[in-house]
Amino acid sequence: MEIYKVREISRRNLLILLGAGTLSASLGSGLFSSEMVSAKESVASTASDKALKRLLEGNKRYVAGKLLNSERNPSRIHDLAKGQQPFAVVLACSDSRVPPEIVFDQGLGDLFTVRVAGNFLEPGGLASIDYAVEHLKSPLVLVLGHRRCGAVTAVVESIQTGKALPDDISKFSEAIAPAIESAKKQLGDAVDNAVRANIKYVTNELKTSQPVLAEFVKKGQVKVLGAYYNLDTGDVQVIA
Ligand SMILES: [Zn+2]
């Protein structure tokens, strides 16, 4: 709803700026359409920035132990029965220590979440994210990886030892190994480098994903960012 509201305001502001008398003449000019596009872009970008700010403020409360736990009550359940308008989409790991609604201190209906061990992108996850962006108008997509991720660790160890992963979790390897290729030659903690490389890789995959996300990103209607969750402190940092 918020994005629609700000768009309405933007349209009203444009009308005020142009004046009713000049509107019809301006409608036929390229100037009007380019102004309208840039106004829409800045409004959409504001919606994405606001969404990020809301997430990071929630994370600060979580780290400080000052959770509001708002929007988790019977009246919210009742309101949401009519429909949802989550302000952000989060692609996170399934790890029990990184539930997005809790680490960002958000309530029912706030976040549209996709979770898979290793927060990699697979077709079902992508379709879900596309749906949230296209139909629920979420202005922000956040890829959330985390320190000492078990799935990433398994793939790093498999590469280091040359031992294939068991069949039931070999999908991790297929998805994560290409993502962490760029981290192989980096100095420092191999798993942490791989976690960060995986976040950046998946963020880029989403940004360039056709036909939906890339177009929304190009039009400035959605921001796709990658963030790292510190298991030791609870802190979230945007890294991509
Ligand atoms: Zn994980």
Side-chain angles (χ1 to χ4, degrees), residues 159-160 177 180-187 190 193-194 197:
I159 292 169
Q160 285 173 341
I180 63 177
E181 185 66 32
S182 66
K184 273 186 188 168
K185 288 177 188 159
Q186 288 173 356
L187 298 172
N193 290 339

Side-chain angles (χ1 to χ4, degrees), residues 68-80:
L68 292 177
N69 288 313
S70 57
E71 307 288 18
R72 299 183 191 180
N73 49 58
S75 114
R76 183 67 170 161
I77 296 170
H78 178 75
D79 289 347
L80 284 170

